[in-house]
Amino acid sequence: MKKIRDFQEFVSKGERLYLRHLSVDCVIFGFHDDSLKVLLLKWKDGGHWCLPGGFVKKNEAVDDSATRILKDRTGLDDIFLQQFHAFGDPFRDRNKELLSIQGKSGKWLMERFITIGYYALVEYSKVSPQPDWLSEECKWVDIHKLPKLIYDHQDIVRKALAELRRSLNDHPIGYNLLPEKFTMPELQRLYETVLDKTLDRRNFQKKMLSLKILERLKERKTGGAHKAPYLYRFDKKKYAKAVKQGLRFGF
């Protein structure tokens, strides 16, 4: 009953607070245990899975709307965020399951609306997943083991992943997905996981070091069975410059 009351309160205020034909959906990528993961929400009733998202407020910029949604779901500020596509198929699925509880005031939710897709890159260990009022769970899911998603969210994830892979040739990404200190093999595994292919170790290391955005530390990673590799970290100023100017990796 509480879900119904919350939803009815939302729809009654919706037309006053939100742009009725414009929403935002966010594909939040994280990297953990050599696996690329996406943050998903699971509905309280029905067990449906979806991407974090929501309508854009009338007094809010679209980018600010995406930032607000990301903050609510991850607890993080200053997230790498990239707008990548607008989804406006006139036959996009609607939330028919909520039709019975929305009442007349909620019919605007069943109308056609366009969603702006964003992808975000976050460090897995820093995220504290938080469900919204309509969801019972917010958790990471392996990109290769996604459940069936509502609406066209499956297509949104595929498009986001394709865009992320394309952008790897233009911008470095490790700063957003790895801990502050990491080894060269860990950085390579990140790129291999995103690209879903094996990269030559020597060529990869040569390319990354040639960019001059990495600082090799005196520390080595401990606990391994083989010779401990050196730890690296990104030079923040050089990294920011590289992101701004763009690079050509040629992966």
Side-chain angles (χ1 to χ4, degrees), residues 70-85:
L70 287 168
K71 170 69 174 178
D72 289 344
R73 301 286 74 78
T74 67
L76 299 180
D77 294 300
D78 194 26
I79 294 176
F80 177 88
L81 183 66
Q82 183 68 46
Q83 185 183 125
F84 67 93
H85 195 71

Side-chain angles (χ1 to χ4, degrees), residues 152-199:
D152 52 358
H153 287 196
Q154 219 93 26
D155 292 333
I156 295 176
V157 173
R158 282 195 289 266
K159 184 75 174 179
L161 180 58
E163 182 63 24
L164 175 60
R165 287 171 174 168
R166 187 198 65 77
S167 70
L168 282 182
N169 281 321
D170 302 312
H171 301 295
I173 64 167
Y175 179 74
N176 308 102
L177 290 168
L178 290 173
E180 180 183 0
K181 300 177 183 180
F182 52 88
T183 65
M184 190 63 71
E186 287 171 339
L187 181 60
Q188 181 171 338
R189 284 198 294 272
L190 167 62
Y191 275 76
E192 289 178 334
T193 301
V194 172
L195 294 170
D196 199 21
K197 68 177 183 179
T198 301
L199 301 173

Side-chain angles (χ1 to χ4, degrees), residues 109-166:
L109 289 174
M110 303 302 294
E111 298 175 1
R112 179 188 178 186
F113 62 89
I114 295 170
T115 194
I116 307 298
Y118 285 82
Y119 73 81
L121 306 179
V122 300
E123 186 184 330
Y124 180 93
S125 64
K126 292 183 178 180
V127 174
S128 177
Q130 299 294 325
D132 59 21
W133 57 268
L134 194 61
S135 306
E136 66 178 22
E137 193 174 1
C138 181
K139 75 171 190 175
W140 292 105
V141 180
D142 188 305
I143 191 72
H144 296 297
K145 300 177 182 178
L146 296 182
K148 180 177 173 58
L149 304 179
I150 63 170
Y151 311 153
D152 52 358
H153 287 196
Q154 219 93 26
D155 292 333
I156 295 176
V157 173
R158 282 195 289 266
K159 184 75 174 179
L161 180 58
E163 182 63 24
L164 175 60
R165 287 171 174 168
R166 187 198 65 77

Side-chain angles (χ1 to χ4, degrees), residues 17-19 22 54-62 65 68:
L17 297 177
Y18 299 96
L19 297 172
L22 185 64
F55 284 94
V56 178
K57 293 181 179 179
K58 290 183 177 181
N59 63 347
E60 186 177 49
V62 177
S65 179
R68 167 175 56 83

